[in-house]
Amino acid sequence: MSYRFNSQHLMYAEDMKIYRTISSLIDCAALQQDFDTVASWCVLNGMEMNGTKCKIISFTKAQTHLNYNYEVNGLSLDRVTSINDLGVTMNSKLCFNEHITATTSKTFAVLGFIRRNAREFHDVYALKTLYCSLVKSILEYAVQVWTPYHASQIARIERVQQLFRSFCASTTALE
């Protein structure tokens, strides 16, 4: 049996993404055939493909698109409007508002942890090290993919930085 794909695919560790431009039902059928090919390969190699973890997302700016019912091992795949891939959340319009909201929420939580536990620190370099390793690393993760360009997105991220600067100023002023 041949295990060739009609569609493009990306693999990272145990994850696989199969994708193609869908212009007609023929393209839908070709994509379904690729799902079947992967499922057959898994069976042949004694692996189990978890269809409940498989999702369908259509990236498009069009108002309407083909909603083909894709299946793996007889199980209909869930169609979603946003997806998290390697820690970056994107929606079907390739907008990253959801990701930026989740990222800033997480950094505010970490910043709160730093504020509660480093209130006795007076060395600005120690505080900066904590910020860079615990907060900035979250803010900058995969920023090349989701770089904010709307003023509201930038303002949310800058608010994290402003909060840290004011904490730093109040802590080091006690020195």
Side-chain angles (χ1 to χ4, degrees):
M1 177 177 227
S2 172
Y3 291 102
R4 297 201 155 209
F5 290 108
N6 298 307
S7 308
Q8 299 293 315
H9 62 283
L10 297 170
M11 293 188 287
Y12 180 78
E14 76 284 353
D15 279 349
M16 180 178 206
K17 286 130 190 79
I18 303 173
Y19 62 97
R20 72 180 296 123
T21 300
I22 303 292
S23 316
S24 68
L25 287 175
I26 294 170
D27 295 322
C28 295
L31 186 56
Q32 178 61 59
Q33 184 178 356
D34 288 336
F35 292 144
D36 296 340
T37 299
V38 171
S40 296
W41 183 90
C42 287
V43 168
L44 185 68
N45 288 283
M47 297 174 68
E48 189 175 320
M49 187 171 165
N50 189 346
T52 60
K53 289 187 176 183
C54 299
K55 307 291 181 213
I56 297 292
I57 186 166
S58 298
F59 295 105
T60 180
K61 292 197 182 266
Q63 294 297 327
T64 60
H65 58 276
L66 289 171
N67 276 330
Y68 190 86
N69 186 30
Y70 297 101
E71 297 180 353
V72 170
N73 297 330
L75 178 70
S76 254
L77 300 182
D78 290 335
R79 185 170 291 277
V80 296
T81 56
S82 70
I83 197 158
N84 188 306
D85 186 26
L86 299 176
V88 177
T89 304
M90 61 191 93
N91 68 15
S92 59
K93 305 281 186 204
L94 287 177
C95 178
F96 297 96
N97 281 335
E98 192 177 333
H99 178 78
I100 292 169
T101 299
T103 298
T104 53
S105 294
K106 186 174 180 179
T107 56
F108 279 126
V110 173
L111 196 51
F113 172 81
I114 292 171
R115 291 175 66 188
R116 287 188 304 277
N117 292 290
R119 126 174 355 127
E120 303 300 319
F121 290 22
H122 300 295
D123 182 1
V124 71
Y125 296 108
L127 292 171
K128 182 181 175 188
T129 300
L130 283 172
Y131 176 79
C132 288
S133 59
L134 299 176
V135 177
K136 190 177 178 186
S137 60
I138 295 168
L139 278 178
E140 293 183 351
Y141 174 75
V143 73
Q144 299 84 350
V145 174
W146 62 268
T147 299
Y149 56 90
H150 291 295
S152 62
Q153 295 171 333
I154 294 167
R156 277 189 262 168
I157 292 168
E158 286 181 351
R159 191 164 168 257
V160 173
Q161 296 166 339
Q162 290 165 354
L163 188 59
F164 173 73
R165 282 194 301 270
S166 71
F167 166 69
C168 232
S170 67
T171 304
T172 56
L174 300 174
E175 209 174 323

